[in-house]
């Protein structure tokens, strides 16, 4: 793929740093616009380039879903995103349990990202933020109801947080949270922020087995973030799986698996791996 975009991998030096710079120039379709992933207008791809990108994405593990490796975990985390993906991921988490995986606690990790009009249309009863979309999924898939809410005071901002404890079927402990940003003057909470906030809230113990559910396209970068923010500082085991799109009730959004999206997330994985490398010294 590097060759397709006119480059050549360096024979020596910091490969991740080189790939970071190269991908910033060629594969960062959000940079100039300053928008969310789904707001990018997809560029045109020649068929040969599109096929090359999709083949590379498959080889790198960005497309296929894989089942959990273990049959028991201490925590199952469902990552937030667009309303559609929140509902898809919670459904997949419920299916994992129905398929026989045992876990005492399921938590949705979200933020106070405002929902767009199209997202709100997917959520009967109204919702304003990503965390509301996660909670709607929990209510549907786990027949859950809210038992306790704790939130920061004041108007919603990048510093805001909330934790909702839910009651569901059997003895399953359910929780949905929105994390505060670690850079509130700059951006909303990102994936690493939600991991850290959850780890403090859950008081994660050493040796805990943590299963993370996301979409296949985000598995590489979000798994690296999980290693950096959960596995290393808390001495726990982390596994990240992508949902099985073929079994999802809601279909994928148009353009969600275009060549530009895979290139963008390959760049995200490179950057996440680079942060992990830097933290490891």
């Amino acid at each position: 793929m590097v060759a397709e975009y006119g480059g050549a991998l360096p024979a020596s030096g910091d490969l991740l740093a080189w790939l970071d710079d190269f991908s910033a120039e060629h594969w960062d379709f959000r940079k100039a616009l300053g928008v969310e992933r789904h707001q990018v207008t997809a560029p045109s791809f020649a068929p040969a380039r599109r096929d090359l990108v999709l083949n590379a994405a498959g080889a790198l593990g960005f497309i296929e879903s894989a089942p959990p490796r273990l049959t028991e975990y201490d925590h199952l985390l469902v990552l937030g995103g667009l309303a559609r993906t929140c509902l898809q991921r919670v459904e997949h988490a419920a299916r994992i349990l129905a398929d026989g995986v045992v876990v005492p606690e399921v938590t949705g990790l979200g933020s106070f990202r405002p929902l767009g009009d199209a997202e709100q249309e997917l959520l009967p009863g109204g919702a304003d933020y990503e965390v509301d979309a996660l909670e709607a999924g929990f209510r549907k898939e786990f027949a859950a109801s809210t038992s306790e809410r704790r939130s920061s005071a004041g108007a919603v901002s990048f510093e805001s947080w909330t934790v909702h404890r839910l009651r569901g079927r059997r003895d399953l402990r359910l929780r949905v949270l929105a994390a505060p940003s670690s850079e509130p003057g700059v951006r909303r909470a990102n994936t690493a922020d939600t991991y850290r906030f959850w780890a403090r809230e859950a008081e994660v113990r050493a040796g805990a087995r943590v299963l993370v559910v996301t979409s296949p396209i985000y598995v590489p970068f979000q798994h690296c973030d999980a290693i950096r923010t959960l596995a290393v500082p808390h001495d726990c085991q982390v596994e990240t799986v992508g949902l099985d799109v073929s079994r999802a009730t809601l279909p994928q959004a148009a353009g969600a698996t275009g060549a530009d999206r895979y290139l963008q997330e390959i760049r995200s994985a490179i950057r996440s791996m680079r942060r992990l490398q830097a933290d490891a010294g």
Side-chain angles (χ1 to χ4, degrees):
M1 261 191 344
V2 168
E4 172 69 15
Y5 281 84
L9 293 174
S12 60
D14 188 334
L15 178 59
L16 286 176
W18 188 93
L19 285 169
D20 194 349
D21 292 340
F22 185 86
S23 65
E25 180 179 356
H26 297 285
W27 305 335
D28 190 355
F29 304 104
R30 300 172 61 189
K31 175 177 59 179
L33 302 175
V35 296
E36 299 283 351
R37 289 171 168 83
H38 67 287
Q39 296 172 321
V40 173
T41 299
S44 297
F45 285 80
R49 175 171 284 188
R50 181 199 62 222
D51 292 346
L52 175 67
V53 171
L54 296 180
N55 288 336
L60 292 168
F62 286 75
I63 295 179
E64 296 298 326
S65 174
R69 292 183 299 105
L70 305 179
T71 57
E72 293 187 23
Y73 296 85
D74 299 295
H75 305 277
L76 196 163
L77 307 181
V78 184
L79 301 189
L82 295 176
R84 180 183 299 269
T85 54
C86 285
L87 298 176
Q88 290 174 329
R89 292 169 189 176
V90 177
E91 180 185 46
H92 189 72
R95 186 174 289 119
I96 285 173
L97 301 189
D99 287 345
V101 172
V102 176
V103 62
E105 179 175 283
V106 183
T107 304
L109 307 188
S111 73
F112 277 112
R113 179 187 62 80
L115 299 179
D117 293 341
E119 294 180 273
Q120 291 178 326
E121 291 175 2
L122 291 172
L123 303 167
D128 297 314
Y129 299 102
E130 175 185 296
V131 65
D132 300 325
L134 280 170
E135 183 164 338
F138 272 63
R139 289 177 180 276
K140 177 178 182 293
E141 301 299 336
F142 299 110
S145 59
T146 305
S147 63
E148 177 190 357
R149 293 178 186 264
R150 295 187 291 109
S151 301
S152 54
V156 171
S157 70
F158 288 163
E159 297 178 277
S160 300
W161 59 270
T162 190
V163 178
H164 302 173
R165 290 186 179 274
L166 307 170
R167 288 188 295 266
R169 293 188 289 262
R170 303 185 299 275
D171 296 325
L172 189 63
R173 298 193 300 272
L174 303 171
R175 182 164 36 194
V176 175
L177 60 83
S181 171
S182 58
E183 298 179 286
V186 178
R187 57 167 177 78
R188 64 175 174 84
N190 59 20
T191 302
D193 291 331
T194 65
Y195 285 147
R196 293 189 185 100
F197 185 68
W198 168 77
R200 293 194 298 270
E201 180 69 23
E203 298 181 340
V204 180
R205 64 172 177 79
R209 295 162 297 181
V210 181
L211 178 64
V212 179
V213 172
T214 183
S215 302
I217 193 171
Y218 304 125
V219 165
F221 108 74
Q222 291 178 327
H223 183 62
C224 286
D225 277 358
I227 294 171
R228 181 170 58 90
T229 60
L230 296 179
V232 174
H234 298 281
D235 192 24
C236 60
Q237 304 173 46
V238 178
E239 179 183 352
T240 306
V241 297
L243 67 91
D244 185 346
V245 177
S246 68
R247 300 178 71 187
T249 300
L250 282 174
Q252 291 286 81
T257 55
D260 63 303
R261 297 290 182 91
Y262 286 112
L263 288 174
Q264 187 77 57
E265 298 318 316
I266 288 170
R267 168 165 167 73
S268 296
I270 291 165
R271 301 187 74 201
S272 184
M273 290 174 184
R274 195 176 180 194
R275 287 189 292 267
L276 177 59
Q277 181 189 56
D279 281 10

